[in-house]
């Protein structure tokens, strides 16, 4: 189960105003573990509400992230070469009205993943978000780098995935900063079931305009997964426990489907 779950480490999607990569989207994944050779279809979807505080409105955000990943036969410096592409979609609403939906920034990446033995794996991903001009996605090109470390022996998935994004245009109407995300997983498999706590944090690391207020947040949650032979299903729930300049706390339900070909 854990090896196939690593496919979802590729998933990509938005945050409300800070990170281009949605904070928490790689939770539950063995992001450092190399995948067996083959093609994988992965769909991650989530929906949640950020409760407005003071004069801030309630904001709902729904995201769907279909990903096609190819774990190639090739190895570079001993690491498995893995390629992926994603075309995320999202829906945003303010105070349960004024909904708008459409395509988010497409994502393309290559990853090297090393099996270090003893259940330990490490990976490095380099990708790019391409711009869109539909008012929902960022109208910029963003470079995305990820380092994943996983321990997957004895049914465990102990993973930290660090994601760093660089905006190539420092002053844009979409206020797209550089950012750092950290997704954490600590689950244990019991037969076909997978259970455990999860968490994520995100931090803006630059100010695209002089008046921009950097955003930070930390969220905690729990995950449950089940394996139906090749098909793997996962679900998790997260809740913000600390935030700065997001306007309120976010409660979010996530689902995931992993299907190897």
């Amino acid at each position: 189960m854990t090896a196939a779950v690593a496919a979802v480490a590729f998933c990509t999607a938005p945050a409300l105003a800070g990170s281009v990569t949605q904070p928490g989207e790689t939770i539950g994944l063995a992001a450092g573990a190399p995948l067996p050779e083959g093609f994988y279809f992965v769909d991650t979807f989530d929906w949640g509400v950020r409760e407005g505080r003071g004069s801030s409105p309630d904001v709902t955000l729904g995201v769907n992230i279909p990903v096609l990943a190819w774990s190639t036969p090739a190895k570079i410096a001993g690491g498995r070469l893995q390629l992926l592409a994603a075309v995320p979609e999202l829906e945003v609403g303010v105070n349960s009205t004024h909904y708008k939906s459409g395509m988010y920034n497409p994502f393309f990446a290559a990853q090297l993943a090393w099996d270090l033995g003893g259940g330990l794996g490490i990976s490095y991903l380099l990708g790019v978000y391409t711009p869109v001009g539909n008012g929902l996605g960022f109208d910029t090109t963003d470079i995305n780098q990820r380092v994943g470390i996983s321990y997957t022996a004895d049914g465990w998935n102990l993973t930290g995935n660090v994601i760093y994004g660089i905006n190539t245009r420092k002053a844009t109407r979409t206020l797209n900063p550089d950012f750092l995300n950290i997704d954490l997983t600590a689950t244990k498999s019991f037969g076909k079931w997978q259970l455990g706590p999860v968490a994520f944090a995100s931090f803006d690391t630059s100010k695209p305009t002089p008046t921009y207020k950097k955003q930070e947040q930390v969220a905690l949650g729990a995950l449950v997964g089940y394996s139906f032979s090749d098909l793997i299903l996962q679900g998790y729930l997260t809740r913000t426990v600390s935030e700065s300049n997001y306007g309120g706390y976010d409660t979010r339900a996530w689902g995931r489907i992993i299907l190897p070909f």
Side-chain angles (χ1 to χ4, degrees), residues 3 52-53 55 63 69 73 84 86 104 106 113 120 135 140 142 147 149 168-169 174 183 202 221 230 233 243 251 260:
R53 184 175 58 244
S55 61
V63 183
L84 58 133
Y104 192 70
L120 187 64
T140 64
D142 278 75
V147 175
I149 301 175
T168 60
R169 288 162 58 187
T174 49
D183 293 350
S202 67
D230 287 337
L233 303 180
E243 64 86 20
T251 302

Side-chain angles (χ1 to χ4, degrees), residues 19 25-26 37 39 50 94 240:
S19 306
E25 72 171 42
T26 68
E37 291 181 32
F39 289 90
R50 189 172 293 277
V94 179
T240 305

Side-chain angles (χ1 to χ4, degrees), residues 70-243:
W70 178 28
S71 180
T72 75
K75 289 189 175 182
I76 299 176
R80 174 79 62 191
L81 176 63
Q82 303 176 154
L83 306 176
L84 58 133
V87 184
E89 304 165 301
L90 65 88
E91 178 186 68
V92 181
V94 179
N95 288 334
S96 300
T97 61
H98 306 102
Y99 281 95
K100 188 174 182 179
S101 61
M103 187 180 74
Y104 192 70
N105 298 70
F107 182 73
F108 305 94
Q111 184 185 51
L112 290 176
W114 290 267
D115 182 355
L116 303 181
L120 187 64
I122 188 170
S123 68
Y124 171 74
L125 178 147
L126 178 63
V128 60
Y129 288 93
T130 58
V132 292
N134 60 7
L136 285 172
F138 292 110
D139 194 21
T140 64
T141 298
D142 278 75
I143 306 302
N144 197 259
Q145 299 182 80
R146 307 181 184 186
V147 175
I149 301 175
S150 295
Y151 176 78
T152 56
D154 301 320
W156 286 100
N157 178 11
L158 305 178
T159 294
N161 198 25
V162 178
I163 303 167
Y164 182 58
I166 302 172
N167 178 26
T168 60
R169 288 162 58 187
K170 298 304 179 184
T172 72
R173 64 178 177 83
T174 49
L175 299 179
N176 180 198
D178 298 345
F179 65 89
L180 177 69
N181 293 357
I182 302 172
D183 293 350
L184 300 174
T185 301
T187 61
K188 181 75 165 68
S189 293
F190 302 92
K192 295 185 176 183
W193 289 94
Q194 180 187 26
L195 302 167
V198 296
F200 69 81
S202 67
F203 310 89
D204 292 348
T205 60
S206 72
K207 298 177 65 172
T209 67
T211 59
Y212 181 83
K213 295 181 178 180
K214 289 184 179 180
Q215 297 178 326
E216 299 180 0
Q217 65 178 334
V218 176
L220 303 176
L223 177 145
V224 59
Y226 190 82
S227 176
F228 297 89
S229 186
D230 287 337
L231 177 65
I232 297 173
L233 303 180
Q234 285 186 329
Y236 52 103
L237 184 69
T238 58
R239 168 71 175 177
T240 305
V241 296
S242 175
E243 64 86 20

Side-chain angles (χ1 to χ4, degrees), residues 32 46 64 92 131 147 182 227 254 256 261:
D46 62 89
N64 184 50
V92 181
V147 175
I182 302 172
S227 176
W254 308 69
R256 181 173 294 133
F261 292 93

